[in-house]
Amino acid sequence: MSILLQVSDTHFGTEQPPVVEALVALAHQQQPDLLVLSGDITQRARRAQFRAARAFTDRIGVPVLAVPGNHDIPLFDLWTRLSRPYARYTAAFGDDLEPVFRSPELLVVGVNTTRAWRHKNGEVSVAQIDRVARLLEQAAPAQLRVVVVHQPIAITRPEDIPNLLRGHSIAQERWAAAGADIVMGGHIHLPYVMPLDNLARPMWAVQAGTAVSSRVRDGAPNSVNLLRWGQHATPGVCQVERWDYAAGTGAFVRGKGSEIQPARM
């Protein structure tokens, strides 16, 4: 069985040390095969914040697939934002802004949806949509096919419409037809699992809350997602578990669970 741990919107610089320690403990307990960071890793893209984030992932001790969020580009340092927007990010997490992870049971494709000229809105281009689709079309039948973006590809509340990923409709249609099972995102600090309708095949949006930051949304505690798939799991079912931080116990505890049944030809 493969286990994927989705951690989003850590916003290092606003992290809560007890929550960080609890998340490290959860990761050591669950032993994921892959750690996915779905953007907004730092609060203000400062070097010290990236160093703290890198130290955190090093403590987890498993492969990392990271994509930047809008907070991972300097906001107030305009020269760096326009000339070298990802310099601090790549110093911590490598030069590949759109990494790919492959294993016998997983295909995970990262997409950089940030733009240096936008403050917070995300965008996916036609070229990016086509690149992801080509990779998905090459997936093996046994692989769970996951695309990772930062801004959400689908929302549950009208007030989040301004946060929708620009180009989301075309991306949904193309990626579903190419074989995607899940599109992961963050940005709005609100966790949910949402089936996407009227597509060529079943596909789901899996959104994560803020993992360790004090910037929690009302009614949504710090949380992460654990996905279980493959051999020794329920055949043909991906289990998506939300794990919430419980201040009373100082640990992450399992919360809502969902089952996804990817279509296979």
Side-chain angles (χ1 to χ4, degrees):
M1 177 172 64
S2 294
I3 301 176
L4 185 157
L5 173 59
Q6 182 193 10
V7 172
S8 196
D9 297 87
T10 48
H11 288 280
F12 274 91
T14 67
E15 76 275 18
Q16 303 169 92
V19 187
V20 173
E21 294 304 313
L23 182 49
V24 171
L26 175 68
H28 290 170
Q29 176 195 62
Q30 297 292 327
Q31 298 185 329
D33 299 278
L34 178 67
L35 170 63
V36 169
L37 300 179
S38 45
D40 278 2
I41 300 167
T42 65
Q43 175 64 9
R44 283 289 173 253
R46 294 179 178 141
R47 293 180 181 87
Q49 294 170 1
F50 278 118
R51 286 196 296 268
R54 183 75 245 190
F56 161 74
T57 61
D58 288 345
R59 291 180 66 193
I60 301 294
V62 302
V64 177
L65 184 146
V67 297
N70 51 291
H71 277 261
D72 298 317
I73 300 174
L75 178 61
F76 300 113
D77 183 348
L78 294 180
W79 173 252
T80 301
R81 183 179 182 89
L82 295 177
S83 63
R84 302 173 65 229
Y86 301 105
R88 298 171 189 172
Y89 174 93
T90 58
F93 291 100
D95 292 334
D96 192 352
L97 300 178
E98 298 191 313
V100 178
F101 176 86
R102 295 179 177 88
S103 74
E105 294 182 333
L106 295 173
L107 172 64
V108 186
V109 182
V111 186
N112 176 20
T113 58
T114 64
R115 301 293 186 264
W117 57 88
R118 296 192 187 280
H119 171 49
K120 61 185 292 188
N121 290 332
E123 179 181 332
V124 60
S125 69
V126 172
Q128 288 176 306
I129 292 170
D130 287 344
R131 165 191 166 266
V132 171
R134 288 193 299 270
L135 290 168
L136 292 168
E137 289 165 350
Q138 298 168 13
Q143 288 177 314
L144 183 73
R145 303 149 197 178
V146 181
V147 181
V148 182
V149 297
H150 177 55
Q151 290 86 356
I153 198 167
I155 49 92
T156 60
R157 304 180 358 165
E159 55 263 47
D160 288 320
I161 289 174
N163 294 309
L164 267 172
L165 180 66
R166 294 174 185 241
H168 66 278
S169 295
I170 298 173
Q172 283 188 30
E173 293 175 3
R174 184 79 167 89
W175 293 345
D181 300 312
I182 291 169
V183 181
M184 286 185 163
H187 188 59
I188 56 176
H189 299 195
L190 186 66
Y192 51 86
V193 176
M194 179 181 181
L196 303 175
D197 299 325
N198 302 316
L199 298 175
R201 58 192 301 283
M203 190 169 75
W204 288 262
V206 174
Q207 285 287 126
T210 176
V212 299
S213 173
S214 60
R215 301 182 64 212
V216 293
R217 195 164 179 169
D218 287 345
N222 292 109
S223 68
V224 298
N225 292 325
L226 274 169
L227 277 65
R228 305 181 193 273
W229 167 260
Q231 190 177 13
H232 306 306
T234 303
V237 174
C238 175
Q239 296 176 331
V240 183
E241 303 168 359
R242 191 185 78 221
W243 287 69
D244 298 331
Y245 179 71
T249 63
F252 279 84
V253 298
R254 181 173 172 174
K256 185 176 181 180
S258 303
E259 289 191 344
I260 287 173
Q261 293 183 282
R264 290 292 181 266
M265 303 303 290

